[in-house]
Coordinates of all heavy atoms in Angstrom, one line a residue:
S1 N -247.0 7.1 184.7 CA -247.9 8.2 184.7 C -249.3 7.8 184.8 O -249.7 6.6 184.6 CB -247.7 9.0 183.4 OG -248.3 8.5 182.3
I2 N -250.2 8.7 185.2 CA -251.6 8.4 185.3 C -252.2 8.0 184.0 O -253.0 7.0 183.9 CB -252.4 9.6 185.9 CG1 -252.0 9.8 187.3 CG2 -253.9 9.4 185.8 CD1 -252.5 11.1 187.9
A3 N -251.8 8.7 182.9 CA -252.3 8.3 181.5 C -251.9 6.9 181.1 O -252.7 6.2 180.6 CB -251.8 9.3 180.5
D4 N -250.7 6.5 181.4 CA -250.2 5.2 181.1 C -251.0 4.1 181.9 O -251.4 3.1 181.4 CB -248.7 5.0 181.3 CG -247.9 5.8 180.4 OD1 -248.4 6.1 179.2 OD2 -246.8 6.2 180.7
A5 N -251.2 4.4 183.2 CA -252.0 3.5 184.0 C -253.4 3.3 183.5 O -253.9 2.2 183.5 CB -252.0 3.9 185.5
L6 N -254.0 4.4 183.1 CA -255.3 4.4 182.6 C -255.4 3.6 181.2 O -256.3 2.8 181.1 CB -255.8 5.9 182.3 CG -257.2 6.0 181.7 CD1 -258.3 5.4 182.7 CD2 -257.6 7.4 181.5
M7 N -254.4 3.8 180.4 CA -254.4 3.0 179.1 C -254.2 1.5 179.4 O -254.8 0.6 178.7 CB -253.3 3.5 178.2 CG -253.7 4.8 177.5 SD -255.1 4.6 176.4 CE -255.5 6.3 176.2
D8 N -253.5 1.2 180.4 CA -253.3 -0.2 180.8 C -254.6 -0.8 181.3 O -255.0 -2.0 180.9 CB -252.3 -0.4 182.0 CG -250.8 -0.1 181.5 OD1 -250.6 -0.1 180.3 OD2 -250.0 0.1 182.4
Q9 N -255.4 0.0 182.0 CA -256.7 -0.5 182.5 C -257.7 -0.6 181.3 O -258.4 -1.6 181.3 CB -257.3 0.4 183.5 CG -256.5 0.4 184.9 CD -256.6 -1.0 185.5 OE1 -257.7 -1.6 185.6 NE2 -255.5 -1.5 185.9
I10 N -257.6 0.3 180.4 CA -258.5 0.2 179.2 C -258.1 -1.0 178.4 O -259.1 -1.7 177.9 CB -258.4 1.5 178.4 CG1 -259.0 2.7 179.1 CG2 -259.0 1.3 177.0 CD1 -258.7 4.1 178.5
A11 N -256.9 -1.3 178.2 CA -256.4 -2.5 177.5 C -256.9 -3.7 178.1 O -257.4 -4.7 177.5 CB -254.9 -2.5 177.3
A12 N -256.9 -3.8 179.5 CA -257.3 -5.0 180.2 C -258.8 -5.2 180.0 O -259.3 -6.3 179.9 CB -256.9 -4.9 181.7
I13 N -259.6 -4.1 180.1 CA -261.0 -4.2 180.0 C -261.4 -4.6 178.5 O -262.2 -5.5 178.3 CB -261.7 -2.8 180.2 CG1 -261.5 -2.4 181.7 CG2 -263.1 -2.8 179.8 CD1 -261.9 -1.0 182.1
A14 N -260.7 -4.0 177.5 CA -261.0 -4.4 176.1 C -260.6 -5.9 175.9 O -261.3 -6.6 175.2 CB -260.2 -3.5 175.2
A15 N -259.5 -6.4 176.5 CA -259.1 -7.8 176.3 C -260.1 -8.7 176.9 O -260.2 -9.9 176.5 CB -257.7 -7.9 177.0
S16 N -260.9 -8.3 177.9 CA -261.9 -9.1 178.5 C -263.1 -9.3 177.6 O -264.0 -10.0 177.9 CB -262.3 -8.6 179.9 OG -263.1 -7.5 179.8
G17 N -263.2 -8.5 176.5 CA -264.3 -8.6 175.6 C -265.3 -7.5 175.7 O -266.3 -7.4 174.9
I18 N -265.0 -6.5 176.5 CA -265.9 -5.4 176.6 C -265.5 -4.3 175.7 O -264.3 -4.0 175.6 CB -265.9 -4.9 178.1 CG1 -266.4 -5.9 179.1 CG2 -266.7 -3.6 178.2 CD1 -266.2 -5.5 180.6
A19 N -266.5 -3.8 174.9 CA -266.2 -2.7 174.0 C -265.9 -1.4 174.8 O -266.6 -1.1 175.7 CB -267.3 -2.5 173.0
V20 N -264.9 -0.7 174.4 CA -264.5 0.5 175.0 C -264.3 1.6 174.0 O -263.8 1.4 172.9 CB -263.1 0.4 175.8 CG1 -262.7 1.6 176.5 CG2 -263.2 -0.8 176.8
V21 N -264.8 2.8 174.3 CA -264.7 4.0 173.4 C -263.6 4.9 174.1 O -263.8 5.2 175.3 CB -266.0 4.7 173.2 CG1 -265.7 6.0 172.4 CG2 -267.0 3.8 172.5
V22 N -262.6 5.2 173.4 CA -261.5 6.1 174.0 C -261.4 7.4 173.1 O -261.4 7.3 171.9 CB -260.2 5.4 173.9 CG1 -259.1 6.3 174.5 CG2 -260.3 4.0 174.7
T23 N -261.4 8.5 173.8 CA -261.0 9.8 173.1 C -259.7 10.3 173.8 O -259.6 10.3 175.0 CB -262.2 10.8 173.2 OG1 -262.4 11.1 174.6 CG2 -263.4 10.3 172.6
D24 N -258.8 10.7 172.9 CA -257.5 11.2 173.5 C -256.8 11.9 172.4 O -257.1 11.7 171.2 CB -256.7 10.0 173.9 CG -255.5 10.4 174.8 OD1 -254.9 11.4 174.5 OD2 -255.3 9.7 175.8
Q25 N -256.0 12.9 172.7 CA -255.2 13.6 171.8 C -254.0 12.9 171.3 O -253.5 13.2 170.2 CB -254.8 14.9 172.4 CG -255.9 15.9 172.8 CD -255.3 17.1 173.5 OE1 -254.4 17.7 173.0 NE2 -256.0 17.5 174.5
D26 N -253.5 11.9 172.0 CA -252.3 11.1 171.7 C -252.6 9.9 170.9 O -252.9 8.8 171.4 CB -251.6 10.8 173.0 CG -250.2 10.2 172.8 OD1 -250.0 9.7 171.7 OD2 -249.4 10.3 173.7
A27 N -252.6 10.1 169.6 CA -253.0 9.0 168.7 C -252.1 7.7 168.9 O -252.6 6.6 168.9 CB -252.9 9.5 167.2
R28 N -250.9 8.0 169.1 CA -249.9 6.8 169.2 C -250.3 6.0 170.5 O -250.3 4.7 170.5 CB -248.5 7.3 169.3 CG -248.0 7.7 167.9 CD -246.6 8.3 168.0 NE -246.1 8.7 166.7 CZ -246.3 9.8 166.1 NH1 -247.1 10.7 166.6 NH2 -245.8 10.0 164.9
R29 N -250.6 6.7 171.6 CA -251.0 6.0 172.8 C -252.3 5.2 172.6 O -252.3 4.1 173.0 CB -251.1 7.0 174.0 CG -251.4 6.2 175.2 CD -251.7 7.1 176.5 NE -251.7 8.5 176.3 CZ -250.9 9.3 177.0 NH1 -250.0 8.8 177.9 NH2 -250.9 10.6 176.9
V30 N -253.2 5.9 172.0 CA -254.5 5.2 171.8 C -254.4 4.0 170.9 O -254.9 2.9 171.1 CB -255.6 6.2 171.3 CG1 -256.9 5.4 170.9 CG2 -255.9 7.2 172.4
L31 N -253.6 4.1 169.8 CA -253.5 3.0 168.9 C -252.7 1.8 169.5 O -252.9 0.7 169.0 CB -252.7 3.5 167.6 CG -253.5 4.4 166.7 CD1 -252.6 5.0 165.6 CD2 -254.6 3.6 166.1
S32 N -252.1 2.0 170.6 CA -251.4 0.9 171.3 C -252.4 0.0 172.0 O -252.0 -1.1 172.4 CB -250.4 1.4 172.3 OG -251.0 2.0 173.4
V33 N -253.7 0.4 172.2 CA -254.6 -0.4 172.9 C -255.9 -0.7 172.2 O -256.8 -1.4 172.7 CB -255.0 0.3 174.3 CG1 -253.8 0.4 175.2 CG2 -255.7 1.6 174.1
V34 N -256.0 -0.2 170.9 CA -257.3 -0.4 170.2 C -257.2 -1.5 169.1 O -256.1 -1.8 168.6 CB -257.8 0.9 169.6 CG1 -258.0 2.0 170.6 CG2 -256.9 1.3 168.5
D35 N -258.3 -2.0 168.7 CA -258.4 -2.9 167.6 C -258.8 -2.1 166.3 O -258.4 -2.4 165.2 CB -259.4 -4.0 167.8 CG -259.0 -5.0 168.9 OD1 -257.8 -5.2 169.0 OD2 -259.9 -5.3 169.7
H36 N -259.7 -1.1 166.5 CA -260.2 -0.3 165.4 C -260.2 1.1 165.8 O -260.4 1.5 167.0 CB -261.7 -0.8 165.2 CG -262.2 -0.2 163.9 ND1 -261.9 -0.7 162.6 CD2 -263.1 0.8 163.7 CE1 -262.6 0.0 161.7 NE2 -263.3 0.9 162.3
C37 N -260.0 2.0 164.8 CA -259.9 3.5 165.1 C -260.8 4.2 164.2 O -260.9 3.9 163.0 CB -258.5 3.9 164.9 SG -258.2 5.7 165.1
L38 N -261.6 5.1 164.7 CA -262.4 6.0 164.0 C -262.1 7.4 164.4 O -262.1 7.7 165.6 CB -263.9 5.7 164.3 CG -265.0 6.5 163.7 CD1 -265.2 6.1 162.3 CD2 -266.3 6.3 164.5
V39 N -261.8 8.3 163.4 CA -261.4 9.7 163.7 C -262.6 10.5 163.2 O -263.0 10.5 162.0 CB -260.1 10.1 163.0 CG1 -259.8 11.5 163.2 CG2 -259.0 9.1 163.4
L40 N -263.1 11.3 164.1 CA -264.2 12.3 163.8 C -263.7 13.7 163.7 O -262.8 14.1 164.5 CB -265.3 12.2 164.8 CG -265.9 10.8 165.0 CD1 -267.0 10.9 166.1 CD2 -266.6 10.4 163.7
S41 N -264.2 14.5 162.8 CA -263.9 15.9 162.7 C -265.2 16.6 162.5 O -265.9 16.3 161.5 CB -262.9 16.2 161.6 OG -262.6 17.6 161.5
S42 N -265.6 17.5 163.4 CA -266.8 18.2 163.3 C -268.0 17.2 163.2 O -268.9 17.5 162.5 CB -266.8 19.2 162.2 OG -265.8 20.2 162.4
G43 N -267.9 16.1 163.9 CA -269.0 15.1 163.9 C -269.0 14.2 162.7 O -269.9 13.4 162.5
H44 N -268.0 14.3 161.8 CA -268.0 13.5 160.6 C -266.8 12.6 160.6 O -265.8 12.9 161.0 CB -267.9 14.4 159.3 CG -269.0 15.3 159.2 ND1 -270.3 14.9 158.7 CD2 -269.2 16.6 159.4 CE1 -271.1 16.0 158.7 NE2 -270.4 17.0 159.1
N45 N -267.1 11.3 160.2 CA -266.0 10.3 160.1 C -265.1 10.7 159.0 O -265.5 10.8 157.8 CB -266.6 9.0 159.8 CG -265.6 7.9 159.7 OD1 -264.4 8.1 159.9 ND2 -266.0 6.7 159.1
V46 N -263.8 11.0 159.3 CA -262.8 11.4 158.3 C -261.8 10.3 158.0 O -261.1 10.3 157.0 CB -262.1 12.7 158.6 CG1 -263.2 13.9 158.6 CG2 -261.4 12.7 160.0
L47 N -261.6 9.4 159.0 CA -260.7 8.3 158.9 C -261.2 7.1 159.7 O -261.7 7.3 160.8 CB -259.3 8.6 159.4 CG -258.5 9.7 158.8 CD1 -257.3 10.1 159.6 CD2 -258.0 9.3 157.4
T48 N -261.0 5.9 159.2 CA -261.3 4.7 159.9 C -260.5 3.5 159.4 O -260.0 3.5 158.3 CB -262.8 4.4 159.7 OG1 -263.2 3.3 160.6 CG2 -263.2 4.0 158.3
G49 N -260.2 2.6 160.3 CA -259.4 1.5 160.0 C -259.0 0.7 161.2 O -259.2 1.1 162.3
N50 N -258.4 -0.5 160.9 CA -257.9 -1.3 162.0 C -256.6 -0.7 162.5 O -256.0 0.2 161.9 CB -257.8 -2.7 161.7 CG -256.7 -3.0 160.6 OD1 -255.6 -2.4 160.5 ND2 -257.0 -4.0 159.7
R51 N -256.1 -1.2 163.6 CA -254.9 -0.6 164.3 C -253.7 -0.6 163.3 O -253.0 0.4 163.1 CB -254.5 -1.4 165.5 CG -253.2 -0.9 166.1 CD -252.7 -1.6 167.3 NE -253.2 -3.0 167.4 CZ -253.5 -3.6 168.6 NH1 -253.3 -3.0 169.7 NH2 -254.0 -4.8 168.5
D52 N -253.5 -1.8 162.6 CA -252.3 -1.8 161.7 C -252.4 -0.8 160.6 O -251.4 -0.2 160.3 CB -252.2 -3.2 161.1 CG -251.9 -4.3 162.2 OD1 -251.3 -4.0 163.2 OD2 -252.2 -5.5 162.0
D53 N -253.6 -0.6 160.0 CA -253.7 0.4 159.0 C -253.5 1.8 159.5 O -252.9 2.6 158.8 CB -255.1 0.3 158.3 CG -255.4 -1.0 157.6 OD1 -254.4 -1.6 157.2 OD2 -256.6 -1.3 157.4
M54 N -254.0 2.1 160.7 CA -254.0 3.4 161.2 C -252.6 3.8 161.8 O -252.3 5.0 161.8 CB -255.1 3.6 162.2 CG -256.5 3.4 161.7 SD -256.9 4.5 160.3 CE -257.4 5.9 161.1
E55 N -251.9 2.8 162.3 CA -250.5 3.1 162.8 C -249.7 3.8 161.7 O -248.8 4.7 162.0 CB -249.9 1.9 163.3 CG -250.4 1.5 164.7 CD -249.8 0.3 165.3 OE1 -249.3 -0.6 164.5 OE2 -249.8 0.2 166.5
S56 N -249.9 3.4 160.4 CA -249.1 4.1 159.4 C -249.7 5.4 159.0 O -249.1 6.1 158.2 CB -249.1 3.1 158.2 OG -250.3 3.0 157.6
R57 N -250.8 5.8 159.6 CA -251.4 7.1 159.2 C -251.5 8.1 160.4 O -252.3 9.0 160.5 CB -252.8 6.8 158.7 CG -252.9 5.9 157.5 CD -254.2 5.5 157.1 NE -254.9 6.6 156.5 CZ -256.2 6.6 156.1 NH1 -256.9 5.5 156.3 NH2 -256.7 7.6 155.5
V58 N -250.6 7.9 161.4 CA -250.7 8.7 162.6 C -250.6 10.2 162.3 O -251.3 11.0 162.8 CB -249.5 8.3 163.6 CG1 -249.4 9.3 164.7 CG2 -249.8 6.9 164.2
D59 N -249.7 10.6 161.3 CA -249.6 12.0 161.0 C -250.9 12.5 160.4 O -251.3 13.6 160.7 CB -248.5 12.2 159.9 CG -247.1 12.0 160.6 OD1 -247.0 12.1 161.8 OD2 -246.2 11.8 159.8
E60 N -251.6 11.7 159.6 CA -252.9 12.1 159.1 C -253.9 12.2 160.2 O -254.8 13.1 160.1 CB -253.3 11.0 158.0 CG -254.5 11.4 157.2 CD -254.7 10.3 156.1 OE1 -253.9 9.4 155.9 OE2 -255.8 10.5 155.4
I61 N -253.9 11.2 161.1 CA -254.8 11.3 162.3 C -254.6 12.6 163.0 O -255.6 13.3 163.4 CB -254.6 10.1 163.2 CG1 -255.1 8.8 162.5 CG2 -255.4 10.3 164.5 CD1 -254.6 7.6 163.3
E62 N -253.3 12.9 163.3 CA -253.1 14.1 164.1 C -253.5 15.4 163.3 O -254.0 16.3 163.9 CB -251.6 14.2 164.5 CG -251.3 13.1 165.5 CD -249.8 13.0 165.8 OE1 -249.0 13.5 165.0 OE2 -249.5 12.4 166.8
R63 N -253.3 15.4 162.0 CA -253.8 16.6 161.2 C -255.3 16.7 161.3 O -255.8 17.8 161.4 CB -253.3 16.5 159.8 CG -251.9 17.0 159.6 CD -251.5 17.2 158.1 NE -251.9 16.0 157.3 CZ -251.1 14.9 157.1 NH1 -249.9 14.9 157.7 NH2 -251.4 13.9 156.3
A64 N -256.0 15.6 161.2 CA -257.4 15.6 161.3 C -257.9 16.1 162.6 O -258.9 16.9 162.7 CB -258.0 14.2 161.0
Y65 N -257.2 15.7 163.7 CA -257.6 16.1 165.1 C -257.2 17.5 165.4 O -257.9 18.3 165.9 CB -257.0 15.1 166.1 CG -257.5 15.4 167.5 CD1 -258.7 15.1 167.9 CD2 -256.6 16.1 168.3 CE1 -259.2 15.3 169.2 CE2 -257.1 16.4 169.6 CZ -258.3 16.0 170.1 OH -258.7 16.3 171.3
L66 N -256.0 17.9 165.1 CA -255.4 19.1 165.5 C -255.4 20.2 164.4 O -255.2 21.4 164.7 CB -253.9 18.9 165.9 CG -253.7 18.0 167.0 CD1 -252.2 17.7 167.2 CD2 -254.3 18.5 168.3
G67 N -255.7 19.8 163.2 CA -255.8 20.8 162.1 C -254.3 21.0 161.6 O -253.4 20.3 162.0
D68 N -254.1 22.0 160.8 CA -252.8 22.3 160.3 C -252.1 23.4 161.1 O -251.3 24.2 160.5 CB -253.0 22.8 158.8 CG -253.4 21.7 157.9 OD1 -253.0 20.5 158.2 OD2 -254.2 21.9 156.9
A69 N -252.3 23.4 162.4 CA -251.7 24.4 163.3 C -250.2 24.3 163.2 O -249.5 23.4 162.9 CB -252.2 24.2 164.7

């Protein structure tokens, strides 16, 4: 898919040492290519951590992003 190809390119850029900022609704996909994750809600930092810490908090990330819909 286009989204998968884009994430592959982002991962390659990041692996070369260039900092990349990614915004996406799919927390699991984004966590597959990041070293550090910062979740903002209404402009405020509500969650932060490295990939390993945040992978165990995907449900919490999604609730912060999507609300309790």
Side-chain angles (χ1 to χ4, degrees):
S1 76
I2 292 173
D4 292 334
L6 181 60
M7 284 298 161
D8 289 344
Q9 291 298 314
I10 290 169
I13 292 167
S16 75
I18 297 172
V20 179
V21 175
V22 179
T23 62
D24 196 318
Q25 297 177 44
D26 188 338
R28 287 175 179 81
R29 181 183 4 235
V30 171
L31 287 171
S32 73
V33 300
V34 302
D35 294 321
H36 190 80
C37 177
L38 176 75
V39 179
L40 301 176
S41 179
S42 299
H44 300 282
N45 177 12
V46 294
L47 296 169
T48 189
N50 65 38
R51 174 184 26 213
D52 293 336
D53 293 338
M54 298 304 277
E55 282 179 334
S56 66
R57 301 174 75 184
V58 170
D59 291 339
E60 193 175 351
I61 292 169
E62 290 173 345
R63 277 193 308 276
Y65 183 80
L66 300 172
D68 292 325

